Every structure is written in structure tokens, then in C-alpha cells.
Amino acid sequence: MPEFVMKPNLPDPPTGYRYLDFLGGASRLVQENVCRGCFMNLTERHLPDILAPVYDDGVITVRQDAEWAVPGFMVVGVRPHIGALDEMDLPLVERLARVTHFVRRAMRERLGLTAVQMYQEEKLDRPHFHLWMLPLWPATMAAHDINPRIYESNIARYLTLFTLDSHEPEIRRCADEVRDFLTEVPELGADTRA
């Protein structure tokens, strides 16, 4: 039976507000119109350290997913409030592709991942561009009969198989490995050391 993430029983948010949940930290009450990306950019010094960027060039960030405790679950995001890929200028799109390329190489070469699913969701409300890079850990996939094919997928269940209490050291190890790899890539030209 999978371990499900237990959220604290919080009172209903006041009208016009909602909660944002973060790995290793308390839920935050925010105004409904505030997107997660902007909130994280504005308050990142107050977020749990497990969410510190492994890469940050001032425009593009890469960090562990803010909610799901899957080790190596990297999110490539942009600091400006941009909702979709087509709203970016081409130099940013090209830079984003370059960063994503090297994150994927780090996941293959340092984490040993042969399969990663990438998702880019455009939310209807409060969109803020980000690209999920979800590692498919073979042993977990096999042990829980997880089907990765999108149209037959039980990936939502896969996300619940990882908890911060059980996987925090592995999350930190993966982040360190990705950070170290990206720091050594001259084409990125940014110091990503924490």
C-alpha cells in the first residue's frame, strides 16, 4: 500500500485566498491571484532549503519539485511571470532548451536515469511557465506496477509513493549531483554552487 502524503487539517482559507504546500515546510496562505512561481521567487529565502535552486542564472531556475518528494524531480522554471512558451522571446526559449538539455544529461549521467517524463502544463488560472522533469525510477515503477504511458498512466499514483520522511537524503543527493553537473557545464556560464 503506498504511503500517501498527509496534509495538515487546515481551516478553509478566507475568501480570496488559497493554500500552497511545500516540501519540508508549512502550507502558506496566499491571495488567490498569486501564482506559485511568483510566490516562490518572492519568498525563496523563506522556503525550506530543500527547494533551493540547483541552477539559477537570474532568469531560469532549476530546483526540486515544491510538492512531490520524488528524488531528482527537477522543475525548470522562469523568474519572470510568463505563462506559456510562445510568450517568450526566442533567445529565452533557446536558453531554456539549453538548460533543459543539460539537466536531462545530468539526470542520465549522474543519477543513472534512462527514462524521464517531461510535462509543461499551461494552467487556466495563474499560469507561470515551468517544465516538470519527472524521473522514472525503475525499481519503484516495477514494484508498484506503474505504467508510464501517458494515455494509460498511473503516474499520479507514482508521485504518492515517495515521502519526504523516507526520501529526504536521496532528494538532497540528487539535487547535489545535478547542481555539481550543471556547475561544470561551460555552455551554461553560471555558478550554481549553493
Side-chain angles (χ1 to χ4, degrees), residues 8 20-28 47-48 50-51 164:
L20 293 178
D21 296 318
F22 295 98
L23 279 181
S27 295
R28 304 290 179 90
L47 294 175
I50 201 165
L51 301 178
L164 185 60

Short mmCIF file of all heavy atoms in Angstrom, two decimals, residues 8 20-28 47-48 50-51 164:
data_model
loop_
_atom_site.label_atom_id
_atom_site.label_comp_id
_atom_site.label_asym_id
_atom_site.label_seq_id
_atom_site.Cartn_x
_atom_site.Cartn_y
_atom_site.Cartn_z
N PRO A 8 -1.85 18.68 6.56
CA PRO A 8 -2.47 19.06 7.83
C PRO A 8 -3.91 19.50 7.61
O PRO A 8 -4.27 19.97 6.53
CB PRO A 8 -1.60 20.23 8.31
CG PRO A 8 -0.93 20.75 7.08
CD PRO A 8 -0.81 19.59 6.14
N LEU A 20 -0.80 27.13 -0.40
CA LEU A 20 0.24 26.50 -1.20
C LEU A 20 1.03 25.59 -0.26
O LEU A 20 1.41 26.00 0.83
CB LEU A 20 1.19 27.54 -1.81
CG LEU A 20 0.61 28.48 -2.85
CD1 LEU A 20 1.67 29.47 -3.31
CD2 LEU A 20 0.07 27.70 -4.05
N ASP A 21 1.26 24.36 -0.68
CA ASP A 21 2.01 23.40 0.12
C ASP A 21 3.43 23.30 -0.41
O ASP A 21 3.66 23.40 -1.63
CB ASP A 21 1.35 22.02 0.07
CG ASP A 21 -0.04 22.03 0.69
OD1 ASP A 21 -0.20 22.67 1.75
OD2 ASP A 21 -0.95 21.41 0.11
N PHE A 22 4.40 23.07 0.49
CA PHE A 22 5.80 22.95 0.12
C PHE A 22 6.45 21.80 0.86
O PHE A 22 6.16 21.58 2.04
CB PHE A 22 6.55 24.26 0.46
CG PHE A 22 6.08 25.42 -0.35
CD1 PHE A 22 5.17 26.32 0.15
CD2 PHE A 22 6.54 25.60 -1.65
CE1 PHE A 22 4.71 27.39 -0.61
CE2 PHE A 22 6.10 26.67 -2.42
CZ PHE A 22 5.18 27.56 -1.90
N LEU A 23 7.33 21.08 0.18
CA LEU A 23 8.10 20.03 0.82
C LEU A 23 8.84 20.59 2.02
O LEU A 23 9.50 21.62 1.91
CB LEU A 23 9.16 19.47 -0.14
CG LEU A 23 8.78 18.46 -1.17
CD1 LEU A 23 10.01 18.06 -1.97
CD2 LEU A 23 8.12 17.26 -0.57
N GLY A 24 8.75 19.91 3.12
CA GLY A 24 9.54 20.28 4.29
C GLY A 24 9.17 21.60 4.92
O GLY A 24 9.94 22.15 5.70
N GLY A 25 8.00 22.11 4.62
CA GLY A 25 7.60 23.38 5.20
C GLY A 25 6.10 23.46 5.40
O GLY A 25 5.35 22.60 4.93
N ALA A 26 5.70 24.49 6.07
CA ALA A 26 4.28 24.70 6.34
C ALA A 26 3.56 25.16 5.09
O ALA A 26 4.15 25.75 4.19
CB ALA A 26 4.13 25.75 7.45
N SER A 27 2.26 24.89 5.06
CA SER A 27 1.43 25.45 3.99
C SER A 27 1.40 26.96 4.17
O SER A 27 1.45 27.47 5.28
CB SER A 27 0.00 24.90 4.10
OG SER A 27 0.01 23.51 3.86
N ARG A 28 1.33 27.66 3.04
CA ARG A 28 1.32 29.12 3.08
C ARG A 28 -0.02 29.63 2.56
O ARG A 28 -0.50 29.17 1.53
CB ARG A 28 2.43 29.69 2.21
CG ARG A 28 3.82 29.21 2.56
CD ARG A 28 4.28 29.76 3.91
NE ARG A 28 5.59 29.28 4.26
CZ ARG A 28 6.72 29.88 3.95
NH1 ARG A 28 6.72 31.00 3.27
NH2 ARG A 28 7.86 29.35 4.31
N LEU A 47 11.63 29.77 2.06
CA LEU A 47 11.19 28.42 1.71
C LEU A 47 12.15 27.41 2.33
O LEU A 47 13.30 27.73 2.64
CB LEU A 47 11.17 28.25 0.19
CG LEU A 47 10.15 29.08 -0.58
CD1 LEU A 47 10.33 28.88 -2.08
CD2 LEU A 47 8.74 28.74 -0.15
N PRO A 48 11.70 26.17 2.49
CA PRO A 48 12.60 25.14 3.01
C PRO A 48 13.85 25.02 2.12
O PRO A 48 13.76 25.14 0.90
CB PRO A 48 11.75 23.86 2.93
CG PRO A 48 10.33 24.34 2.95
CD PRO A 48 10.34 25.66 2.24
N ILE A 50 15.48 22.62 1.11
CA ILE A 50 15.45 21.53 0.14
C ILE A 50 14.96 22.02 -1.23
O ILE A 50 15.17 21.37 -2.24
CB ILE A 50 14.59 20.36 0.67
CG1 ILE A 50 14.96 19.06 -0.04
CG2 ILE A 50 13.10 20.68 0.59
CD1 ILE A 50 14.45 17.82 0.65
N LEU A 51 14.35 23.19 -1.26
CA LEU A 51 13.84 23.77 -2.51
C LEU A 51 14.78 24.83 -3.10
O LEU A 51 14.42 25.51 -4.05
CB LEU A 51 12.45 24.38 -2.27
CG LEU A 51 11.39 23.40 -1.78
CD1 LEU A 51 10.06 24.11 -1.55
CD2 LEU A 51 11.22 22.23 -2.74
N LEU A 164 8.76 12.71 2.01
CA LEU A 164 9.93 13.45 2.46
C LEU A 164 10.62 12.71 3.61
O LEU A 164 11.84 12.60 3.65
CB LEU A 164 9.55 14.87 2.87
CG LEU A 164 10.73 15.77 3.26
CD1 LEU A 164 11.71 15.92 2.10
CD2 LEU A 164 10.23 17.12 3.71
#
